[in-house]
């Protein structure tokens, strides 16, 4: 017996029942569904559709159903399609005909939007907490390794000397933007859809303002058709999450490379690596590879949603039921990936010796040497050409720039003085950089302190 089959002569084909069921994934919305129904029942009592006894019977019944589901006592069946139908039929079964009044002025179309908005508000809060936790771990790590010099890369070629603190803070700022993005997206999420009905609202004077207040939304949706066809808030959430995954994936990629024997800048904790079934010596960075791999699927979730919605006519179409799996998958994946990354950043060892060797055996100070010449009055382009020739010469001789003696340097430009050696010394470079946001000891220190205060505000 279905709750909607009044106009049907024939029974639903079992394969159609299986095909259209969403209960195996939307059951996770049961708490939100029940919370929404209780608020709806309170409202129906206020406007005289339910007596207070009927309302109480409905609300008690709903509470008992929540307990049943929590204990795994309610059996789910495809013939009841989704979580909304399961709860409503169980209610009618439990409390009798009074239960048949609950759905007054409501459609599953505004109901599902409500459930998902309530669910997302909670889950986004949890993701924010995990993100904050990771940001704190990154700050601690930056603090610990703020003096550790390392090469910074462009095109995977050694580019300029930086510190591990500055490097890891780059990820801090990416993820901080992600945190702010999550906060921004909550504005569009925080809108009450209930009361829009199937598509056009109701002739029953539903008190939407009361329900808004009761469920803690800041706003009420303004157009009933838009409300039941809108999944922008899901896309906003998955986009925000996909961006986090993108950042985690890039960080994973870095750490995978840095942990190779070729680099040996970092050593990942055993607890997050796995061995090979054949090669006894292997220690593989699977946790990070999986973060990188899962990022692909989350980005796929975003495109599933875009594709799902782009051709839909107004208003609700059943296609929209397919929004839940990508949404839930994206949320679950980011939660775990943030934890894994936090453990990794906290527990990995960094090899300062190796990173230092990579700095000293490079031509990276060529940039500062050029700046040295500029400060002595040489036009930048000329300085660039002079140092370029010196690099070529040093390369031929197999020595770093600082090993060229001053007389040889003067063959390239007469303005070179003994003070050039100090100027291109890596630690001095990190002391001398003056620009806001630069890789310099002071600037990294300043930003760590500033961002600690930011994190303490939560
Ligand atoms: N399970 C449905 C979904 O997730 C709920 C809305 C159903 N509405 C309808 N008119 N069949 O989209």
């Amino acid at each position: 017996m279905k709750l909607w089959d009044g106009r049907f002569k024939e029974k639903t084909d079992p394969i159609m029942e299986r095909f259209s069921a969403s209960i195996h994934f939307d059951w996770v919305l049961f708490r939100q569904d029940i919370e929404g129904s209780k608020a709806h029942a309170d409202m129906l009592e206020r406007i005289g559709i339910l007596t207070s006894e009927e309302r109480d019977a409905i609300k008690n019944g709903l509470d008992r159903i929540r307990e049943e589901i929590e204990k795994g006592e309610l059996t789910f069946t495809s013939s009841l399609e989704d979580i909304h139908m399961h709860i409503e039929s169980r209610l009618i079964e439990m409390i009798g005909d009074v239960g048949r009044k609950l759905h007054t002025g409501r459609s599953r179309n505004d109901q599902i939007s409500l459930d998902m908005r309530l669910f997302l508000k909670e889950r986004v809060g949890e993701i924010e907490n995990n993100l904050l936790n990771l940001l704190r771990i990154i700050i601690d790590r930056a603090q610990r390794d703020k003096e550790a010099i390392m090469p910074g890369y462009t095109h995977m070629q050694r580019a300029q000397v930086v510190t591990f603190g500055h490097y890891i803070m780059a990820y801090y700022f990416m993820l901080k933007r992600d945190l702010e993005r999550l906060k921004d997206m909550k504005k569009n999420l925080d809108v009450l859809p209930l009361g829009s009905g199937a598509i056009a609202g109701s002739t029953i004077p539903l008190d939407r303002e009361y329900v808004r207040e009761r469920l803690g939304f800041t706003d009420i949706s303004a157009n009933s058709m838009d409300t039941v066809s809108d999944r922008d808030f899901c896309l906003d959430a998955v986009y925000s999450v996909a961006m986090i995954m993108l950042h985690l994936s890039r960080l994973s990629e870095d750490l995978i490379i840095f942990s190779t024997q070729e680099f040996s800048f970092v050593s990942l904790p055993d607890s997050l690596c796995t061995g090979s079934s054949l090669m006894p010596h292997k220690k593989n960075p699977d946790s990070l590879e999986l973060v990188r791999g899962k990022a692909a699927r989350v980005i796929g979730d975003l495109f599933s949603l875009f594709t799902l919605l782009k051709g839909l006519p107004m208003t609700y179409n059943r296609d929209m039921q397919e929004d839940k799996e990508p949404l839930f998958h994206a949320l679950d994946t980011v939660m775990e990936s943030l934890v894994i990354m936090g453990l990794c950043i906290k527990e990995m060892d960094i090899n300062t010796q190796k990173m230092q060797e990579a700095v000293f055996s490079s031509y990276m100070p060529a940039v500062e040497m050029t700046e040295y010449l500029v400060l002595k009055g040489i036009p930048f382009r000329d300085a660039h050409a002079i140092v370029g020739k010196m690099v070529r010469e040093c390369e031929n001789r197999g020595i770093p720039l600082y090993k060229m003696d001053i007389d040889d340097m003067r063959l390239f430009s007469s303005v070179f003085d003994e003070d050039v050696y100090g100027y291109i010394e890596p630690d001095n470079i990190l002391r001398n950089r003056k620009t806001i946001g630069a890789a310099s000891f002071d600037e990294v220190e300043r930003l760590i302190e500033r961002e600690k205060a930011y994190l303490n505000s939560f």
Side-chain angles (χ1 to χ4, degrees):
M1 170 67 183
K2 295 194 171 13
L3 293 171
W4 45 251
D5 66 0
R7 60 105 67 223
F8 285 78
K9 266 206 322 266
E10 286 162 17
K11 284 177 53 166
T12 320
D13 195 306
I15 188 171
M16 175 53 195
E17 283 187 344
R18 254 182 293 130
F19 193 63
S20 79
S22 53
I23 187 62
H24 52 291
F25 52 82
D26 69 13
W27 72 272
V28 297
L29 298 171
F30 71 96
R31 287 195 187 86
Q32 290 75 19
D33 200 73
I34 285 172
E35 198 189 330
S37 285
K38 285 169 72 177
H40 188 63
D42 278 334
M43 185 275 290
L44 291 177
E45 190 268 339
R46 278 171 65 90
I47 63 167
I49 301 280
L50 297 176
T51 65
S52 56
E53 293 75 32
E54 288 173 332
R55 176 205 55 197
D56 292 346
I58 288 175
K59 287 173 73 182
N60 290 337
L62 288 168
D63 282 337
R64 278 164 57 200
I65 295 170
R66 190 186 45 230
E67 282 164 28
E68 284 181 356
I69 299 178
E70 277 164 355
K71 289 190 196 135
E73 286 168 9
L74 189 75
T75 20
F76 298 138
T77 150
S78 297
S79 63
L80 284 172
E81 285 182 34
D82 53 26
I83 188 62
H84 324 298
M85 288 304 198
H86 275 78
I87 292 173
E88 198 185 337
S89 347
R90 179 71 187 115
L91 184 69
I92 294 167
E93 187 179 84
M94 195 183 260
I95 67 170
D97 278 349
V98 180
R100 303 179 74 83
K101 294 192 176 181
L102 173 63
H103 208 52
T104 309
R106 189 175 70 170
S107 156
R108 278 186 292 163
N109 297 353
D110 55 355
Q111 191 177 356
I112 185 61
S113 172
L114 174 70
D115 292 3
M116 291 210 288
R117 284 170 187 273
L118 289 172
F119 181 81
L120 264 175
K121 280 214 280 184
E122 250 174 60
R123 294 307 295 272
V124 168
E126 289 162 15
I127 295 170
E128 282 172 353
N129 285 340
N130 280 13
L131 198 47
L132 269 170
N133 208 27
L134 178 58
L135 288 174
R136 294 201 169 96
I137 291 171
I138 293 179
I139 287 259
D140 286 348
R141 188 82 229 197
Q143 181 96 49
R144 235 155 98 193
D145 302 312
K146 62 179 187 234
E147 320 249 272
I149 61 169
M150 71 181 279
Y153 296 81
T154 64
H155 313 265
M156 278 305 286
Q157 307 291 320
R158 288 176 196 168
Q160 289 194 263
V161 62
V162 298
T163 59
F164 193 83
H166 189 64
Y167 159 77
I168 202 72
M169 282 301 280
Y171 283 98
Y172 171 91
F173 285 107
M174 293 180 214
L175 294 164
K176 179 187 175 185
R177 284 197 297 277
D178 294 338
L179 181 69
E180 298 285 321
R181 189 174 294 110
L182 284 175
K183 295 194 177 304
D184 290 346
M185 67 136 299
K186 282 205 275 194
K187 184 168 160 283
N188 279 332
L189 191 56
D190 210 4
V191 178
L192 173 79
L194 206 63
S196 302
I199 162 169
S202 177
T203 57
I204 299 166
L206 307 171
D207 187 347
R208 299 189 72 197
E209 178 51 32
Y210 170 80
V211 180
R212 178 198 70 73
E213 170 94 60
R214 172 85 169 58
L215 290 174
F217 284 98
T218 51
D219 224 334
I220 298 177
S221 66
N223 179 299
S224 59
M225 293 178 80
D226 171 39
T227 306
V228 295
S229 73
D230 172 28
R231 291 293 180 271
D232 296 2
F233 61 97
C234 298
L235 274 109
D236 285 346
V238 178
Y239 172 74
S240 307
V241 159
M243 192 67 113
I244 298 172
M245 290 303 296
L246 171 73
H247 292 148
L248 296 182
S249 181
R250 293 185 69 175
L251 178 51
S252 298
E253 172 67 3
D254 277 356
L255 297 177
I256 290 167
I257 293 173
F258 289 166
S259 68
T260 56
Q261 227 176 328
E262 284 69 14
F263 271 82
S264 299
F265 287 181
V266 307
S267 158
L268 301 173
D270 278 2
S271 56
L272 300 176
C273 293
T274 61
S276 156
S277 58
L278 189 149
M279 299 167 281
H281 60 288
K282 290 298 290 295
K283 174 178 152 187
N284 299 325
D286 299 37
S287 49
L288 297 173
E289 292 169 303
L290 284 167
V291 169
R292 194 175 56 187
K294 285 170 193 288
R297 283 179 67 198
V298 173
I299 292 165
D301 293 331
L302 179 62
F303 284 91
S304 294
L305 291 179
F306 267 123
T307 316
L308 179 69
L309 290 158
K310 69 170 269 302
L312 289 190
M314 287 289 267
T315 52
Y316 177 83
N317 299 270
R318 192 62 182 276
D319 316 44
M320 288 159 81
Q321 180 166 290
E322 298 292 314
D323 60 1
K324 278 161 217 64
E325 286 165 296
L327 177 68
F328 296 161
H329 173 260
L331 300 174
D332 290 345
T333 306
V334 79
M335 286 292 285
E336 287 192 336
S337 302
L338 286 166
V339 175
I340 289 279
M341 191 53 86
L343 287 172
C344 192
I345 301 291
K346 197 193 293 185
E347 285 166 26
M348 70 190 182
D349 289 323
I350 70 164
N351 189 336
T352 48
Q353 182 69 30
K354 274 277 181 193
M355 297 196 305
Q356 207 166 49
E357 280 166 23
V359 168
F360 277 94
S361 63
S362 80
Y363 290 104
M364 292 190 300
V367 178
E368 283 71 26
M369 202 156 189
T370 306
E371 290 175 354
Y372 171 90
L373 291 175
V374 165
L375 292 175
K376 298 239 169 182
I378 312 263
F380 174 76
R381 272 292 152 232
D382 298 337
H384 187 287
I386 291 166
V387 178
K389 287 193 190 103
M390 293 171 74
V391 169
R392 193 168 64 203
E393 170 68 13
C394 285
E395 232 168 18
N396 286 340
R397 287 160 55 181
I399 54 166
L401 278 169
Y402 66 89
K403 286 270 170 69
M404 186 184 262
D405 65 39
I406 192 69
D407 295 332
D408 287 347
M409 286 197 192
R410 286 192 177 128
L411 297 175
F412 292 88
S413 169
S414 58
V415 305
F416 276 120
D417 239 319
E418 289 288 346
D419 60 352
V420 67
Y421 295 103
Y423 205 83
I424 62 170
E425 203 279 317
D427 272 294
N428 285 338
I429 292 174
L430 287 157
R431 257 175 239 123
N432 288 341
R433 287 200 183 119
K434 298 187 173 57
T435 42
I436 295 173
S440 75
F441 293 130
D442 287 351
E443 201 48 5
V444 173
E445 180 83 56
R446 179 180 76 80
L447 287 160
I448 288 176
E449 290 312 315
R450 191 187 84 180
E451 294 307 312
K452 272 198 210 154
Y454 168 81
L455 292 177
N456 282 338
S457 73
F458 291 99

